[in-house]
Amino acid sequence: MSNGTKYWTWHMAAGVVLLILLGLHMIIMHMGGTLHLFSPTGPDAVSIANSQWRDSKICFTITYILLLGVGLYHGLYGLRTILLELTLKPAVEKAVTLLLTLTGLALFVLGSWAAWAAHTIAGGRA
Amino acid sequence: MAELKVNFHVTRYNPEKDPKPYIQTYSVAVNDGMTVLDGLHWIKENLDPTLVWRYSCRMGICGSCGMLINGTPTLACNTQILHLSQTDITVGPLPNFEIIRDLVPDLLSMFEKHAAVHPNIIRPEAELTDRTGEFYQSPEELEAYLQFTYCIKCGCCMGACPTLATDVRYLGPMPLTALQRYNADSRDEGFKVRAQVASADGGAFRCHYAGECSRVCPKGVDPGKAIQLLKRKLVLDYLHLANRKKPCPKLEGPGHGKLLPNMTAPPRTIPE
Amino acid sequence: MAAITRHNNRLGVWGWLGGGRWGIERYAYILHRLTGLGILLYLLMHTVVTSLRVRNIYLWTEGGFFHQPIFRLGEFCVVAAFAFHAFNGIRLVLVELGFAVGKPIEPIYPYKTSVGVQRPLLIAVMVLALLFLLVGAYNFLGLAR
């Protein structure tokens, strides 16, 4: 079978994971004033103290990395779908796929490293 | 009812003379019950014999007169002028196809895509050519694909599809509906062959359910539904969750299969 | 006979938005694309900006570059885009996996299509998206503090 079904199935699955994880992320970051979730040091959910408190928890670090990977796949595959529907030349399509894959991998490595490093730093302080 | 004058804004294009299509306006005398197709005939007879379009049956069966009428792809013979407007109507060729002339789109690209999805029952050759029995199909199995057989290949869904507005390779609603029609047929064994076509770059996953094909279909075939059911089957098959039923068996002759009680096969009309 | 060049009548990207009289699913489709692109753009920047916290650079807090009102408004737009994209996404998963389009039926005029079958779902998820957005706006406007 051609790979279309495979990639699309995981695109959908990633969407469902994002619905939950990104939903929680949005609720924590943007509804802190109402819900006070995971923000022990004050109502401003994105203050430095609150960010570092979350970074010190290993479950948040793991969730950040998972959210980043799943989000990048869902988003970049979606962008590729839109671009490929423009009827590009085969060489351009290959270049688009390569470029998006590299962008995704680079950002995943950067973000995962940063999440882990932030956990180490915050954990050291906590 | 008194005769009305309705302005027809018709797209004209002659590839031998015109660099690009332009709009020409005709004032058409409209009576109650006139269809857009009748209006075009009236123009050709009374105003402009050079106007070109394609039609055949003039009763919604042949699928030749698909046009963009007031911004909606539909059959000209199936559309009452006075249901649309008392004053102005725009008539253009179906979008997403090349224009041959005036209101005539080149549907060849659609028919080539249709041929590419294997729109026929796939069974071992011996079973198809052996004339000793029929395939057994229950009414429920018939209903699983019957709706999709009513397609008349008019191309209205292709003109409405947003993906086809840019993507040349996308098979489009009509061919994918034909694909699902045969996939859902209990006599067929060709899922693996068609799954190759359906999951490729121009296949079912270029559909994002804008719902236009289902909305404009003049025969109620609902291509959108067919494509979503096709995707469901492809995904379930990929996840190994698909219900793998064997294709229906052949009846071994009169009396075999599920017959109602007290029912006998009629006598053969052809001598054995 | 001379070669005849035909007019290519493809509608192009404008055709995504609609070249005629389209239904609300068409607009849900185009809005899903736009919000998806918006969220992706934010995600790419967000990854880089938040990674800077390792170097003790917090651009989004008081006095930081991204604390300016224009960026705060931009972030709220991302919340709004997420609300639409996520709840419309629930509908799309159900529809595209064939759960919300109904079974094949006999086409009898006036035709009933799968568009009508999934329409209540579309309305329901849009109401939920609006609720999510309202709670987000309540916080964004600082009413919660």
Side-chain angles (χ1 to χ4, degrees):
Chain A
M1 187 170 290
S2 172
N3 283 331
T5 308
K6 183 166 78 185
Y7 294 142
W8 188 82
T9 305
W10 291 111
H11 182 64
M12 285 291 112
V16 175
V17 173
L18 279 179
L19 181 71
I20 299 160
L21 289 188
L22 192 56
L24 283 173
H25 189 66
M26 289 285 178
I27 288 170
I28 292 167
M29 299 303 169
H30 293 279
M31 298 180 187
T34 320
L35 298 167
H36 308 287
L37 284 174
F38 304 109
S39 306
T41 63
D44 183 11
V46 295
S47 68
I48 296 179
N50 274 331
S51 300
Q52 286 178 343
W53 181 83
R54 285 190 296 266
D55 273 333
S56 71
K57 304 283 175 214
I58 186 76
C59 60
F60 267 97
T61 307
I62 293 170
T63 315
Y64 283 153
I65 296 174
L66 185 65
L67 184 56
L68 178 65
V70 172
L72 282 171
Y73 175 71
H74 186 87
L76 292 172
Y77 183 77
L79 175 60
R80 181 178 172 273
T81 301
I82 294 176
L83 289 176
L84 259 56
E85 278 177 18
L86 294 170
T87 313
L88 308 168
K89 292 196 182 82
V92 181
E93 283 187 355
K94 278 211 176 98
V96 163
T97 307
L98 188 71
L99 184 71
L100 294 183
T101 312
L102 290 179
T103 311
L105 284 176
L107 282 175
F108 182 69
V109 169
L110 171 72
S112 306
W113 167 79
W116 189 252
H119 171 69
T120 322
I121 296 165
R125 278 179 198 159
Chain B
M1 197 195 108
E3 197 174 75
L4 265 173
K5 286 278 183 186
V6 175
N7 289 323
F8 269 53
H9 305 279
V10 182
T11 304
R12 303 294 312 270
Y13 176 61
N14 180 351
E16 289 173 358
K17 285 193 301 196
D18 307 324
K20 61 178 190 180
Y22 61 97
I23 307 280
Q24 191 167 346
T25 301
Y26 304 98
S27 184
V28 178
V30 173
N31 288 311
D32 226 0
M34 264 176 85
T35 63
V36 175
L37 187 65
D38 293 333
L40 293 174
H41 277 295
W42 194 91
I43 295 171
K44 197 170 178 87
E45 280 162 19
N46 298 292
L47 300 175
D48 187 351
T50 66
L51 183 64
V52 179
W53 71 95
R54 182 161 51 206
Y55 81 104
S56 180
C57 76
R58 53 159 184 59
M59 50 200 227
I61 288 172
C62 73
S64 291
C65 63
M67 292 173 195
L68 193 71
I69 298 167
N70 265 11
T72 307
T74 188
L75 297 180
C77 64
N78 237 357
T79 311
Q80 291 284 322
I81 296 170
L82 295 178
H83 286 184
L84 290 179
S85 168
Q86 307 263 337
T87 52
D88 292 273
I89 280 183
T90 62
V91 185
L94 275 184
N96 304 339
F97 294 105
E98 286 181 347
I99 304 173
I100 293 176
R101 190 170 159 171
D102 292 349
L103 301 173
V104 184
D106 186 0
L107 300 179
L108 190 65
S109 61
M110 175 173 80
F111 295 132
E112 281 170 348
K113 286 169 181 170
H114 180 229
V117 303
H118 304 280
N120 51 280
I121 300 273
I122 298 179
R123 284 289 274 251
E125 196 62 28
E127 272 192 298
L128 289 173
T129 47
D130 169 25
R131 283 172 293 169
T132 53
E134 303 160 18
F135 294 115
Y136 173 74
Q137 190 165 56
S138 69
E140 292 78 27
E141 287 169 335
L142 175 69
E143 270 173 22
Y145 69 87
L146 184 64
Q147 181 175 22
F148 310 133
T149 64
Y150 288 98
C151 174
I152 56 174
K153 279 83 184 163
C154 60
C156 288
C157 54
M158 308 288 274
C161 177
T163 306
L164 277 172
T166 52
D167 194 343
V168 174
R169 285 170 310 179
Y170 178 45
L171 291 169
M174 188 287 268
L176 287 171
T177 303
L179 195 153
Q180 172 62 13
R181 175 251 173 275
Y182 284 96
N183 265 359
D185 193 321
S186 63
R187 297 166 294 180
D188 180 82
E189 287 191 306
F191 175 77
K192 283 260 176 289
V193 184
R194 290 194 203 95
Q196 289 287 346
V197 186
S199 63
D201 266 353
F205 300 113
R206 297 282 80 78
C207 164
H208 309 289
Y209 202 74
E212 293 306 338
C213 49
S214 298
R215 218 185 321 268
V216 301
C217 179
K219 304 302 280 184
V221 171
D222 209 341
K225 185 194 284 173
I227 300 173
Q228 311 323 310
L229 294 177
L230 170 63
K231 282 188 215 168
R232 176 201 184 95
K233 186 75 201 290
L234 287 170
V235 169
L236 289 180
D237 185 71
Y238 167 63
L239 298 172
H240 300 283
L241 297 171
N243 184 8
R244 276 165 215 257
K245 272 203 293 189
K246 287 207 153 157
C248 62
K250 252 186 175 179
L251 292 178
E252 282 161 12
H256 182 250
K258 286 181 197 165
L259 288 179
L260 293 171
N262 307 326
M263 218 178 129
T264 48
R268 289 180 74 103
T269 51
I270 305 166
E272 288 191 45
Chain C
M1 197 179 86
I4 296 170
T5 50
R6 290 206 189 136
H7 180 71
N8 179 354
N9 200 25
R10 258 175 222 286
L11 295 170
V13 177
W14 180 242
W16 292 357
L17 278 164
R21 310 196 156 185
W22 309 123
I24 56 173
E25 282 76 17
R26 176 73 154 253
Y27 296 104
Y29 148 87
I30 193 68
L31 208 53
H32 200 77
R33 293 208 144 176
L34 290 176
T35 51
L37 289 175
I39 296 167
L40 178 64
L41 180 69
Y42 180 79
L43 170 66
L44 300 182
M45 296 193 306
H46 186 61
T47 309
V48 176
V49 170
T50 53
S51 292
L52 290 174
R53 73 190 187 276
V54 177
R55 294 271 170 271
N56 217 12
I57 303 168
Y58 291 83
L59 290 179
W60 62 89
T61 50
E62 199 72 46
F65 179 69
F66 289 112
H67 198 71
Q68 297 172 56
I70 180 80
F71 290 113
R72 307 264 298 163
L73 184 67
E75 274 196 336
F76 180 68
C77 288
V78 173
V79 177
F82 168 77
F84 175 83
H85 199 91
F87 285 101
N88 192 44
I90 297 175
R91 174 184 72 98
L92 282 178
V93 168
L94 291 176
V95 164
E96 300 200 29
L97 293 178
F99 289 107
V101 289
K103 286 193 159 96
I105 49 164
E106 183 87 9
I108 296 165
Y109 195 82
Y111 304 124
K112 293 188 178 74
T113 66
S114 56
V115 179
V117 175
Q118 59 82 54
R119 182 64 61 77
L121 183 64
L122 174 66
I123 294 167
V125 294
M126 284 305 105
V127 170
L128 288 175
L130 198 65
L131 282 177
F132 190 92
L133 190 60
L134 284 178
V135 179
Y138 182 71
N139 279 267
F140 172 67
L141 297 171
L143 298 172
R145 280 172 211 156

